[in-house]
Amino acid sequence: MKKSVVAYRKLPAAALRILEAQYDVTCADADTQRDAFLAALANAHGTIGNKLKLNAEFLDAAPKLEVVSTVSAGYDDFDVADLTRRGIVLCNTPDEVTETTADLMFALILATARRIAELDASIRRGEWQSSSGPAQFGVDVHHKTLGIIGLGRIGAAVARRAAHGFGMNVLYANRSRNVAAEEAFGAKWCPLPTLLAEADFVCVLVPLSAATEKLIGAAELRLMKSSAILVNCARGQVVDEAALTDALREGRILGAGLDVFEREPLPADSPLCALPNVVLVPHIGSATAQTREAMARRAAQNLADALEGRLTATCVNPSAVDARSLLHTPGN
């Protein structure tokens, strides 16, 4: 008998074909088809999707669940310790988002530095009446200092663009040294306070965890130059949004480019929306057709591999396999 899989978000046809070739697949959106989703969980051996906090309620409804495959690089929607305790493997898609998210990070750096959104809006209001002057001036990006908080895959891709494309000096703060980036891009490790004080552009790319929640707060923002720009493509909760709003409003930093927010979608009455020195985009780090399809295909293959006992580097918690064995040992 085939194992059962639940797709709780719409998948591209190519990803569905990978799963339908081997498993009984039920497509039931967790938001709009909740009853069908919960019913399908009862017999599910695997799930695939994104943007759903797969909490204890859902896991309790899925006694046969072996694998959870998320169509995302981040996995803060999941209680990894609880999944591991239950013997459920979690897989993600870290590699597919790297270059696309790095592109967006640099787009936000450039758009904020050169005030693209602000000046675009000015033109649309009919305010362009003469040659550009100080009122339209931005700041240079090339040959400035870029500080990267979290030099993983995406951070390294941003560092490559900065060093090789814009002649920038690269500083980074990380839990461990990234020797490859140091050798390839001349990146220099430094403590976070030093990075904040010296960087012209501060890029936030750490995953969300208890250790990184509100990592950048009022005290950290006070360390930054008044001419510095903050760019966040990590998670909104890594930056204290109220403190950032105050710093932007008061001119204590020059600007910000934000792809992520504490509350998503960002409410229209958020004070950030009223500030001219911030560029806002709706969590689009991986949002290209090519990347989203590649992520879905990878997530489908991850699910199939894990259900067949093949754990790859995309497995977040390989120790879940040992926990599952213990759970099914006679006497347990």
Side-chain angles (χ1 to χ4, degrees):
M1 177 181 286
K2 290 183 178 180
K3 290 186 175 181
S4 296
V5 166
V6 180
Y8 59 86
R9 295 290 183 240
K10 185 176 181 180
L11 296 177
L16 274 176
R17 284 196 294 270
I18 292 171
L19 297 173
E20 289 173 342
Q22 304 175 69
Y23 309 109
D24 287 326
V25 180
T26 299
C27 297
D29 186 275
D31 294 332
T32 62
Q33 300 169 291
R34 183 181 175 87
D35 290 345
F37 171 59
L38 288 172
L41 282 178
N43 293 305
H45 298 89
T47 67
I48 182 170
N50 66 347
K51 297 187 183 301
L52 174 69
K53 289 195 177 295
L54 207 62
N55 56 28
E57 175 195 359
F58 295 126
L59 296 177
D60 288 344
K64 299 179 181 179
L65 195 60
E66 300 173 26
V67 181
V68 169
S69 185
T70 179
V71 189
S72 63
Y75 45 88
D76 46 283
D77 278 338
F78 303 92
D79 184 336
V80 178
D82 188 33
L83 289 174
T84 302
R85 180 181 62 80
R86 294 170 184 261
I88 300 170
V89 169
L90 172 64
C91 301
N92 67 337
T93 62
D95 294 322
E96 284 70 20
V97 306
T98 298
E99 297 298 334
T100 301
T101 306
D103 281 351
L104 178 68
M105 175 69 80
F106 238 92
L108 287 172
I109 290 170
L110 291 165
T112 309
R114 298 303 299 271
R115 301 168 57 193
I116 299 299
E118 179 187 356
L119 297 176
D120 174 89
S122 176
I123 289 176
R124 294 174 190 273
R125 291 192 299 267
E127 296 172 353
W128 187 18
Q129 302 296 326
S130 60
S131 298
S132 61
Q136 291 80 35
F137 285 176
V139 297
D140 284 331
V141 173
H142 62 85
H143 297 97
K144 293 292 186 70
T145 297
L146 179 73
I148 301 175
I149 304 172
L151 191 63
R153 292 176 177 86
I154 298 170
V158 171
R160 185 177 72 248
R161 287 159 172 76
H164 294 172
F166 289 82
M168 301 179 82
N169 300 314
V170 178
L171 305 177
Y172 75 99
N174 217 41
R175 286 181 301 176
S176 57
R177 299 285 288 267
N178 189 326
V179 176
E182 292 177 6
E183 294 175 349
F185 318 124
K188 297 178 182 178
W189 180 90
C190 62
L192 179 58
T194 301
L195 182 151
L196 293 170
E198 296 185 6
D200 298 299
F201 300 90
V202 174
C203 295
V204 182
L205 283 167
V206 291
L208 178 62
S209 68
T212 62
E213 186 171 1
K214 295 195 175 178
L215 177 68
I216 305 300
E220 289 73 26
L221 291 163
R222 281 194 291 270
L223 294 175
M224 293 174 61
K225 300 176 182 179
S226 60
S227 59
I229 288 170
L230 178 78
V231 181
N232 186 8
C233 285
R235 287 292 187 267
Q237 295 84 351
V238 174
V239 176
D240 184 329
E241 206 164 274
L244 175 61
T245 300
D246 288 343
L248 290 165
R249 185 187 292 120
E250 296 166 10
R252 286 188 277 112
I253 65 172
L254 185 63
L258 305 175
D259 181 44
V260 290
F261 307 91
E262 289 184 356
R263 178 182 169 190
E264 296 181 3
L266 183 70
D269 62 354
S270 166
L272 287 170
C273 295
L275 298 175
N277 54 342
V278 58
V279 176
L280 310 171
V281 292
H283 204 150
I284 58 169
S286 63
T288 69
Q290 297 91 334
T291 294
R292 289 289 175 85
E293 179 161 331
M295 290 168 67
R297 289 199 309 269
R298 171 52 57 195
Q301 191 60 57
N302 287 344
L303 181 54
D305 284 342
L307 284 173
E308 301 308 315
R310 300 186 298 268
L311 296 187
T312 68
T314 63
C315 177
V316 173
N317 59 339
S319 59
V321 174
D322 295 331
R324 186 189 307 157
S325 297
L326 289 172
L327 287 170
H328 291 89
T329 299
N332 287 335

